[in-house]
Each structure stands twice: as C-alpha cells, then as structure tokens.
Amino acid sequence: MGKKYLQKYTLIITEKPSAAKQIAAALDEQEKPIEIISKGVPYYTAYRKGHITVVPALGHLYAIKNKQKGKVDYPVFEYNWAPLYQTKRGATKSHNWLKTISELSKNAGAFVDGCDYDVEGSIIGFTILKYACNNKQEVAKRMKYSTLTKEEIKNAYSMLLPKLDFKLIEAGLT
C-alpha cells in the first residue's frame, strides 16, 4: 500500500480529497507532498517535524442504519452506524475509501481530525476515527481552521486541540 515508513506517522483525516491535497501541501516542509493512490483513493505523505499521512474521506462514509427489520414505525430509537456502502445504493466507492483509511490507521502513531470544524465535519471525523480506525476518537487531536490557507493550516497543526470537540459531536449525533 504505497510507501511504508519504518517509524510511525501522524494520520490526518480530511473531509474531501481537495482539502487533503491542500493540507498536505501546506504542512510539507518542501510544499511538495507525495501523492499515493491505493484502490483509487488518493492520499498524501508529507514531512513536518515527523512523517504525516493525509487521507481524505468523501464526505460521510458512515450512515445511520435502523436496527428494526421490516416496516418501520417512527420515531426510530434503535439504530447503529454502518458503512455507507451497506446503507446506500450506489455507494460502493466508499468501500475502498474505508478500506484504505483502515489500512493506513494500522501504522499510525497519532491521529488528527482535520475535517471542517463544524457539526458535519465533526461527525465525519468522529465516525471514521471510531469505526475505520478502531476507536481512535478518544486519542485523536483536532485541527481547527476556517479557511484552507497555508498559514491557517500551519497554525492549526502547530496548535492542535488536545481532543475532539465531543460537545459538537454530541450535537450532531442527536
């Protein structure tokens, strides 16, 4: 699966491919991250005081799935999160995204949610870290930026929040 590092790297999850490319370019000391494509999924390796891998989502990769079978009475209180390819017809592309993110998470030493800092981005990052990255939501840090300018990305990475914003995530989950 692309270039392997002997040492652990920081895995940054972004909300979309264009953001991953911009974040990797801003964080790489030479501003020339290496693009790797695995199973059709682009991700980037960079170096800034350590190895960094930046991998994008395609927006939501998980969706709510009703636990009840057959006819559904609303409201629904029994649900679980499931990969999008299992809940939405035509979302087969998301399977390769989740597989790639999961494989990259196995060699990561640190995790960062680099999705947009809003309710939707927080849910996207949280579900990926929880399900695809094997419960890393509790140890992940959070990048907080409002624009994808080089300076703001560098600043957000140098001042990572120590944990995810669980209040924002809870608001989105409800």
Side-chain angles (χ1 to χ4, degrees):
M1 141 141 246
K3 186 176 179 181
K4 298 281 186 191
Y5 294 117
L6 295 175
Q7 61 228 74
K8 297 287 185 177
Y9 50 82
T10 297
L11 182 64
I12 300 175
I13 313 274
T14 69
E15 199 164 325
K16 51 195 161 282
S18 60
K21 186 175 186 176
Q22 284 184 269
I23 289 171
L27 293 181
D28 187 64
E29 290 176 352
Q30 305 297 314
E31 295 185 6
K32 295 180 182 179
I34 298 168
E35 180 182 39
I36 300 167
I37 299 177
S38 175
K39 299 174 194 70
V41 179
Y43 65 92
Y44 303 88
T45 61
Y47 188 86
R48 177 178 217 80
K49 298 179 184 173
H51 293 286
I52 300 169
T53 297
V54 185
V55 64
L58 280 175
H60 291 280
L61 294 177
Y62 288 90
I64 292 176
K65 183 177 180 182
N66 186 355
K67 287 184 178 180
Q68 290 178 294
K69 303 288 184 203
K71 187 174 187 250
V72 177
D73 291 324
Y74 291 97
V76 174
F77 295 106
E78 300 270 334
Y79 68 89
N80 60 344
W81 287 92
L84 195 62
Y85 64 86
Q86 292 177 0
T87 63
K88 184 178 177 186
R89 196 177 299 233
T92 55
K93 191 176 184 181
S94 66
H95 186 262
N96 285 341
W97 246 261
L98 287 173
K99 198 170 196 172
T100 299
I101 293 169
S102 182
E103 288 174 9
L104 288 170
S105 75
K106 291 175 186 171
N107 295 315
F111 296 83
V112 175
D113 179 351
C115 295
D116 296 350
Y117 197 79
D118 56 19
V119 172
E120 184 178 20
S122 294
I123 295 299
I124 291 168
F126 171 79
T127 55
I128 290 169
L129 288 160
K130 181 175 176 94
Y131 301 111
C133 299
N134 199 21
N135 289 307
K136 297 302 184 199
Q137 77 281 4
E138 295 296 331
V139 298
K141 295 184 179 183
R142 186 67 161 106
M143 283 181 73
K144 185 177 181 181
Y145 58 87
S146 56
T147 63
L148 287 172
T149 63
K150 287 180 187 177
E151 287 309 310
E152 190 160 356
I153 292 167
K154 288 177 186 178
N155 188 45
Y157 189 72
S158 69
M159 297 175 52
L160 291 171
L161 300 177
K163 61 182 181 169
L164 303 184
D165 186 339
F166 289 102
K167 289 181 181 180
L168 193 59
I169 292 165
E170 190 63 34
L173 293 175
T174 57

